[in-house]
Amino acid sequence: MLLWFVIAYWIISVGIGIYAATRVHNTKDFAIAGRQLPFYMVTATVFATWFGSETVLGIPATFLKEGLHGVVADPFGASMCLILVGLFFAAPLYRMNLLTIGDFYKKKYGRSVETLTTLAIVISYLGWVGAQITALGLVFNVVSGGEISKITGMWIGSGTILIYTVFGGMWAVAITDFLQMIIIVIGMLYIGGEVSGMVGGVGVVVDHAMQAGKFEFWPALDIKAIIGFMAAWVTMMFGSIPQQDVFQRVQSAKTEKIAIWGSVLGGCLYFMFAFVPMFLAYSATLVDPKMVSELIDADPQMILPSLVMQHAPLFAQVMFFGALLSAIKSCASATLLAPSVTFTENILKPVVGHRLSDHKLLLAMRSVTVAFTILVTLYAINSKASIFKMVENAYQITLVAAFIPLLAGVYWKRSSNQGALAAIFCGLSVWLATIIFGPEDPFVPAQFAGLIASAIGMVAGSLLPSIVGKELPQEPEHAVLHHHAASHTEHVAEHPHHHPPHHGKPE
């Protein structure tokens, strides 16, 4: 019965996603929903994209083993990322009227930096999307009572999400995210009420967790522990800022104000609701301590699904797995779309040529989405990492290669092409060297060392005399970073020879 409910919900959401495809007429519609999303939809898509499998399965499993100290990266770092994007990056990026985050690096630093940062961003998505597909396999395996294997579930899940993402693009992602946010919130609150009734109330669970030391957040007063704590925090807080999925939500907003506050509110909602699955998982230690002790080391990601399957009534099971599937699907569709769009726009398009028609570019984006889906499904099938680790590790490459060039590009006038290249080279070199040649437990974690090296490279490279040929952007820097044109169309009319090709129909 549960499986049929899941299948019915799956079919309805895919249908809604395909309906959204009727709104896609050009690459601008496909990539950023034609910049037409209202406030409630931007907030919903920010929240739903980040409330993924790691929030429902990965974070609770880590919390059970390590307490709040173990989940500093997510939800603490992840929610702060969205708030920081809204407060410090949404407005300047929105004014630039770009299609991808890679376009920012091209305008500010030139082609070489655009290519390198785009490749780093695309690679970083392997872990995040892989985590969602791994979780889909797990859900299909659980709700079918083992009839559907985890690997078969992965292919079924990625294939159906691909259907509406490849046709509907950002419109499909936004509309389904809005529906899925409602289901996540209602489902999580309902199952939270059910479980708290089993254990005698929320206070009982909180007191038990406090006595078990699970609320210890800050590190010990030891320099190595403090550095490790900061490294875990900044990995997602800063490493996920230069990401296409975050950028798409900012660019899809109807107005600059919506872009700012949609991101801030989405981040706040994510932080609050991320504690519900942690509460549910810890409740399992009171409801069924034997089951928890068996799974805590073998497969802690199964604790929450096992609690619901073994102890909750059918309706609560439907609500929980509906919320879980919503979380996974909203995250997976967004993270399939984002790298595919930026790879097509910033890697493929310059190679093929700027004369590529908008229709052919749209077809290319859809084709790359299909190829990327197959690639990440194979990656997920062969990965041994936990869902939480897959997501946490995904952002290390963007932290060391793309964050400092973005920050300096927006806020430091003296940042240059040479500085950005030095930041990328130093960041990646130190990060890889620490991983490959450093000790298993280094004094300074690899990604933190890479971030510091990237910052030093940016400052030194920008202040030193130029030793590499300059790749000047198409527009002067001040025009890119500070123009407040009333609309993209007006700007094209005023500067017909100095503006990149317009993605979309004439307005």
Side-chain angles (χ1 to χ4, degrees):
M1 182 62 74
L2 175 62
L3 180 61
W4 285 111
F5 274 116
V6 168
I7 290 169
Y9 167 62
W10 201 260
I11 292 169
I12 290 167
S13 57
V14 169
I16 291 169
I18 292 172
Y19 161 75
T22 59
R23 293 174 175 241
V24 177
H25 306 293
N26 51 52
T27 51
K28 192 175 180 183
D29 290 338
F30 187 80
I32 53 173
R35 288 191 128 196
Q36 292 296 313
L37 297 188
F39 178 70
Y40 70 89
M41 210 172 264
V42 172
T43 303
T45 192
V46 166
F47 168 83
T49 296
W50 282 63
F51 202 100
S53 63
E54 72 285 357
T55 316
V56 183
L57 301 175
I59 294 173
T62 307
F63 174 73
L64 279 180
K65 296 181 84 170
E66 303 175 37
L68 278 184
H69 180 79
V71 295
V72 59
D74 194 1
F76 290 93
S79 53
M80 275 305 298
C81 160
L82 295 171
I83 293 166
L84 291 174
V85 166
L87 295 177
F88 298 105
F89 293 93
L93 291 176
Y94 188 85
R95 289 174 204 144
M96 291 175 71
N97 198 6
L98 308 171
L99 200 66
T100 68
I101 188 76
D103 290 345
F104 168 83
Y105 295 104
K106 178 174 66 178
K107 280 179 172 283
K108 174 63 186 172
Y109 302 116
R111 174 76 183 133
S112 299
V113 176
E114 172 199 14
T115 304
L116 291 170
T117 50
T118 299
L119 286 173
I121 289 164
V122 170
I123 291 167
S124 75
Y125 277 98
L126 278 174
W128 196 6
V129 190
Q132 312 314 314
I133 291 170
T134 299
L136 282 173
L138 187 148
V139 170
F140 276 110
N141 180 254
V142 170
V143 299
S144 67
E147 291 295 314
I148 299 173
S149 71
K150 287 184 181 179
I151 291 176
T152 305
M154 288 183 192
W155 284 113
I156 293 170
S158 60
T160 46
I161 289 170
L162 173 65
I163 291 170
Y164 68 80
T165 306
V166 82
F167 288 111
M170 189 60 196
W171 270 117
V173 170
I175 293 171
T176 52
D177 275 2
F178 179 64
L179 168 73
Q180 285 155 358
M181 185 183 99
I182 295 168
I183 293 169
I184 289 168
V185 170
I186 295 172
M188 282 294 151
L189 290 177
Y190 180 83
I191 195 73
E194 284 285 316
V195 171
S196 65
M198 294 179 198
V199 294
V202 175
V204 174
V205 179
V206 172
D207 288 342
H208 195 281
M210 195 173 286
Q211 288 169 20
K214 295 300 180 184
F215 288 158
E216 290 177 10
F217 179 67
W218 299 105
L221 289 175
D222 170 72
I223 189 68
K224 185 181 178 185
I226 292 168
I227 291 172
F229 180 83
M230 291 304 299
W233 200 330
V234 302
T235 298
M236 286 192 74
M237 182 165 63
F238 294 156
S240 46
I241 287 176
Q243 287 283 7
Q244 176 63 16
D245 62 280
V246 178
F247 177 85
Q248 275 178 307
R249 273 128 200 83
V250 167
Q251 290 294 336
S252 299
K254 251 183 179 177
T255 67
E256 188 179 307
K257 198 170 273 187
I258 288 172
I260 295 168
W261 296 111
S263 184
V264 171
L265 181 58
C268 293
L269 286 172
Y270 173 72
F271 182 74
M272 289 188 294
F273 275 93
F275 284 91
V276 178
M278 280 191 261
F279 164 78
L280 295 174
Y282 195 81
S283 299
T285 61
L286 303 179
V287 176
D288 194 343
K290 183 173 178 291
M291 179 266 290
V292 173
S293 64
E294 288 172 358
L295 290 174
I296 191 73
D297 293 317
D299 191 0
Q301 292 161 177
M302 281 298 295
I303 289 172
L304 197 44
S306 299
L307 171 72
V308 174
M309 289 297 287
Q310 293 172 22
H311 297 280
L314 178 63
F315 185 70
Q317 292 177 13
V318 171
M319 294 299 286
F320 172 77
F321 283 103
L324 175 55
L325 282 171
S326 293
I328 297 168
K329 287 167 63 185
S330 57
C331 191
S333 59
T335 49
L336 284 175
L337 180 67
S340 306
V341 166
T342 196
F343 181 84
T344 308
E345 174 71 12
N346 301 109
I347 303 292
L348 200 60
K349 183 181 165 185
V351 172
V352 174
H354 289 280
R355 293 182 181 179
L356 203 65
S357 70
D358 192 79
H359 177 72
K360 286 183 178 174
L361 189 64
L362 179 58
L363 182 63
M365 283 181 179
R366 285 173 165 157
S367 302
V368 171
T369 306
V370 173
F372 190 75
T373 304
I374 294 168
L375 180 67
V376 292
T377 306
L378 292 171
Y379 170 81
I381 288 168
N382 292 290
S383 176
K384 302 297 180 203
S386 71
I387 289 171
F388 185 81
K389 280 295 172 192
M390 284 169 84
V391 172
E392 188 181 11
N393 294 339
Y395 299 108
Q396 292 192 17
I397 188 169
T398 44
L399 177 71
V400 303
F403 173 67
I404 294 296
L406 175 65
L407 179 67
V410 173
Y411 285 105
W412 191 36
K413 287 182 180 178
R414 295 192 66 178
S415 61
S416 67
N417 170 289
Q418 180 173 279
L421 288 172
I424 295 166
F425 175 76
C426 293
L428 284 174
S429 299
V430 170
W431 175 61
L432 289 171
T434 308
I435 291 172
I436 297 167
F437 304 112
E440 196 170 315
D441 184 21
F443 188 79
V444 178
Q447 74 271 28
F448 202 57
L451 175 65
I452 294 167
S454 180
I456 293 169
M458 172 57 79
V459 174
S462 296
L463 296 181
L464 287 172
S466 179
I467 56 173
V468 295
K470 282 194 175 183
E471 276 187 86
L472 292 175
Q474 291 295 307
E475 290 182 282
E477 181 188 329
H478 69 274
V480 172
L481 291 176
H482 304 292
H483 83 278
H484 293 268
S487 73
H488 183 74
T489 312
E490 289 174 18
H491 194 70
V492 171
E494 290 167 15
H495 307 281
H497 303 295
H498 296 280
H499 201 281
H502 173 60
H503 299 282
K505 291 184 176 181
E507 295 173 24

